[in-house]
């Protein structure tokens, strides 16, 4: 996580789930997308990246009926236990990979870093997901193991590659980060 990146990068952090949650939670957001023409709000989760300037979420959270949401609200927890609500703008969508990137109006104080591609995820490796199903407080935390580190969608309908895990997530957690034991993002 952004404030603990040196520790995460060196691999000196053991797998301590409560510590992982505490270190990463302030970079995990609730996302509410106000959908054009429907009057509805799609909910999901997301995570801050890129030195706090951008947030990654699932494309289907901010895209519906061939259009991007009219307004996207991002809610981030802060160190004091309060929440900050920000209006974000969609700056990129990959519908095939189901990924969207949002720009935050001001940099967030915490962010997550991606695990280097050269450090391949392995079957049996411990992972955790932090989501915010339906904006429920507190955020949800689940853990599991990687069941298959590199699968490919044979139909080509969605992502080109993916990770299978038994870490469960609930509805509204679309866009949650999948973290390794050091707090580095390995998937969504």
């Amino acid at each position: 996580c952004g404030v603990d990146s040196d520790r995460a990068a060196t691999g000196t952090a053991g797998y301590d789930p409560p510590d992982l949650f505490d270190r990463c939670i302030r970079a995990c957001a609730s996302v509410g997308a106000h959908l054009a023409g429907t009057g509805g709000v799609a909910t999901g989760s997301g995570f801050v990246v890129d030195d706090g300037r951008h947030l990654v979420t699932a494309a289907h959270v901010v895209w519906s009926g061939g259009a991007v949401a009219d307004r996207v609200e991002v809610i981030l927890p802060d160190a004091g236990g309060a929440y900050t609500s920000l209006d974000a703008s969609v700056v990129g969508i990959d519908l095939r990979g189901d990924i969207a990137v949002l720009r935050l109006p001001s940099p967030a104080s915490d962010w997550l870093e991606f695990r280097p591609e050269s450090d391949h995820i392995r079957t049996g490796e411990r992972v955790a997901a932090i989501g915010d199903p339906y904006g429920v407080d507190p955020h949800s935390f689940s853990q599991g193991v990687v069941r298959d580190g590199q699968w490919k969608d044979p139909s080509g309908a969605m992502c080109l590659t993916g990770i299978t895990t038994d870490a469960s997530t609930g509805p509204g957690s679309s866009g949650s980060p999948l973290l390794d034991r050091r707090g580095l993002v390995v998937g969504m």
Side-chain angles (χ1 to χ4, degrees), residues 94-111:
D94 176 357
L95 294 175
R96 188 163 182 231
D98 196 22
I99 299 170
V101 177
L102 312 178
R103 182 182 324 273
L104 300 175
S106 59
S109 60
D110 288 43
W111 59 89

Side-chain angles (χ1 to χ4, degrees), residues 84-180:
T84 300
S85 176
L86 305 166
D87 282 336
S89 56
V90 178
V91 294
I93 293 182
D94 176 357
L95 294 175
R96 188 163 182 231
D98 196 22
I99 299 170
V101 177
L102 312 178
R103 182 182 324 273
L104 300 175
S106 59
S109 60
D110 288 43
W111 59 89
L112 300 177
E113 296 178 9
F114 289 95
R115 182 164 155 171
E117 282 189 54
S118 59
D119 188 4
H120 298 288
I121 190 90
R122 295 175 32 211
T123 301
E125 191 171 330
R126 286 193 151 303
V127 291
I130 299 175
D132 194 18
Y134 300 118
V136 174
D137 179 26
H139 284 66
S140 66
F141 179 88
S142 62
Q143 57 186 331
V145 296
V146 173
R147 297 183 90 100
D148 185 354
Q150 297 190 4
W151 64 267
K152 295 190 184 296
D153 179 8
S155 72
M158 288 298 286
C159 336
L160 300 175
T161 61
I163 298 169
T164 305
T165 179
D166 62 358
S168 61
T169 58
S173 288
S174 293
S176 299
L178 186 64
L179 306 166
D180 70 8

Side-chain angles (χ1 to χ4, degrees), residues 33-42 64-65 70:
H34 301 265
L35 303 173
T38 69
V41 177
S64 178
D70 289 338

